[in-house]
Amino acid sequence: MSSASENKLSNEELKRRNLPTEPPSLAACPTAEQWEELLGVLNSQYRLLTAQSNALNALLTMIQTVSAQESKQTKELLNICQQLEQAGSKKERRRLRLPRIRLPKLPTVTRKGAAFTLMLLVVSGILLYASVTAWNNLLKPLLALLP
């Protein structure tokens, strides 16, 4: 895209603008020691780049093995889910049912049972009263006579 001002300039003016201001000097070229130093820096960078490349290759192989294991475990998990769904169907549930524990029925209250319980309480009360009375009247005075 050219602007109107560029179209007005002549070819000679454009050539003059594009010419370098001063020719490259020989002082800008590196010396032999500088070349050796640059080559040493490039060699060290090459060694670092090789080490990084090896590390990345090792990481890539590890990621590939993890990915393979993940896909294998995903398939196994799907297989287990399918088996659980099949085991959860109505036909399978009947086969997998555990036996129920049945507790004995508690006796219901009847007149006969209530009368028996009342009679048992009365008899045990009479026996308790008789034993306390015997202790106080018969055995206590005999124990008091002993030296």
Side-chain angles (χ1 to χ4, degrees):
M1 292 196 220
S2 61
S3 64
S5 63
E6 288 180 3
N7 289 336
K8 294 178 183 177
L9 295 175
S10 67
N11 283 338
E12 292 175 9
E13 180 67 25
L14 289 175
K15 285 181 185 176
R16 186 181 59 78
R17 284 188 179 182
N18 287 331
L19 285 177
T21 55
E22 58 183 65
S25 65
L26 293 178
C29 293
T31 62
E33 292 111 16
Q34 290 174 339
W35 274 112
E36 290 297 322
E37 185 180 333
L38 287 173
L39 285 175
V41 168
L42 284 176
N43 284 336
S44 65
Q45 286 182 349
Y46 176 74
R47 279 187 247 115
L48 288 173
L49 183 63
T50 304
Q52 279 184 338
S53 176
N54 292 339
L56 286 175
N57 286 337
L59 186 63
L60 180 64
T61 57
M62 186 174 66
I63 287 174
Q64 288 173 347
T65 56
V66 167
S67 175
Q69 290 174 352
E70 180 265 337
S71 64
K72 182 180 175 184
Q73 289 178 350
T74 302
K75 289 178 184 176
E76 290 177 0
L77 184 62
L78 289 174
N79 187 16
I80 290 171
C81 287
Q82 288 175 353
Q83 289 177 358
L84 285 175
E85 286 176 4
Q86 290 174 357
S89 67
K90 290 183 180 180
K91 292 179 183 177
E92 293 292 326
R93 268 190 251 152
R94 289 183 189 154
R95 292 182 192 160
L96 296 176
R97 185 176 293 166
L98 295 174
R100 292 187 180 177
I101 299 173
R102 302 211 189 277
L103 296 175
K105 291 184 179 180
L106 295 174
T108 57
V109 178
T110 60
R111 288 184 189 177
K112 194 177 193 181
F116 180 72
T117 305
L118 184 61
M119 200 173 6
L120 187 67
L121 287 173
V122 168
V123 169
S124 62
I126 291 171
L127 287 175
L128 181 65
Y129 179 76
S131 64
V132 168
T133 306
W135 174 261
N136 284 334
N137 292 334
L138 298 175
L139 296 176
K140 209 172 188 187
L142 289 177
L143 291 176
L145 295 176
L146 291 175

